[in-house]
Amino acid sequence: NGRKDPYLYSVKAELVENGEVIITGLADKTMTAVIIPETIEGMPVVAIGTNAFLRCTALQTVELPASLKTIGTGAFYGCTALTDIALPNSLTVIPESAFTSCTAMTAVTLGNAVTSIGKNAFDNCTSLREIDLNGFDTKNVKSLWWLLSMVLPQGRAAFLL
């Protein structure tokens, strides 16, 4: 039909065998904002690859699609201008080092399906002060000493050491 998807010019993507799309990076690392679409050329965007946005230091905002199933290890590592992120309800795991050294990040909203947060997922996020747990099971939380506030799901309690 001749129509070009405008998102193809802002993100790099890879089609996998099952007809799904993985975001592999930014077309231009100086971009300050990106909206990742639900689909690219009719195929669902289901993943952000390992180190996809590694050290995209200009990136301030990212909008993730509801179709997103996985984020790769280190996907947003070193995105020092990223201020906040809302993770979709379709995401179950935040992998190791996913947001390490996102030093401007002040708030994170977890999707209600998150069951696991990997080692150092938010390490060196020196401005991070709020995580909205939105259904995350807090029984395995050992220490979140750096948080100033936490929004717990209704009816849940957490004991922070």
Side-chain angles (χ1 to χ4, degrees):
N1 66 14
R3 189 180 130 261
K4 295 284 185 182
D5 190 328
Y7 297 106
L8 294 178
Y9 298 110
S10 60
V11 294
K12 295 178 186 177
E14 180 179 300
L15 179 65
V16 291
E17 290 177 15
N18 58 1
E20 296 176 326
V21 176
I22 296 173
I23 301 300
T24 59
L26 286 178
D28 177 358
K29 282 197 166 205
T30 64
M31 291 180 63
T32 60
V34 66
I35 298 171
I36 299 174
E38 295 272 338
T39 62
I40 293 179
E41 294 187 5
M43 290 165 270
V45 174
V46 297
I48 295 175
T50 298
N51 298 329
F53 297 103
L54 179 69
R55 294 187 186 95
C56 290
T57 57
L59 190 60
Q60 297 171 14
T61 61
V62 177
E63 187 176 314
L64 301 174
S67 58
L68 193 67
K69 296 178 185 175
T70 61
I71 292 177
T73 300
F76 294 93
Y77 189 107
C79 292
T80 55
L82 188 61
T83 57
D84 60 80
I85 195 147
L87 302 174
N89 291 333
S90 54
L91 190 66
T92 58
V93 175
I94 301 170
E96 182 173 336
S97 303
F99 298 97
T100 296
S101 296
C102 292
T103 54
M105 186 179 292
T106 60
V108 174
T109 302
L110 301 184
N112 61 18
V114 171
T115 58
S116 175
I117 298 175
K119 180 180 178 185
N120 299 324
F122 298 100
D123 189 41
N124 198 35
C125 292
T126 54
S127 299
L128 186 58
R129 297 295 182 257
E130 182 179 324
I131 293 183
D132 182 340
L133 296 176
N134 195 18
F136 182 72
D137 187 350
T138 58
K139 70 182 178 192
N140 294 319
V141 174
K142 299 258 188 267
S143 176
L144 296 173
W145 59 268
W146 39 269
L147 286 180
L148 294 180
S149 69
M150 180 182 304
V151 179
L152 295 175
Q154 188 172 19
R156 299 275 181 122
F159 296 94
L160 302 179
L161 303 175

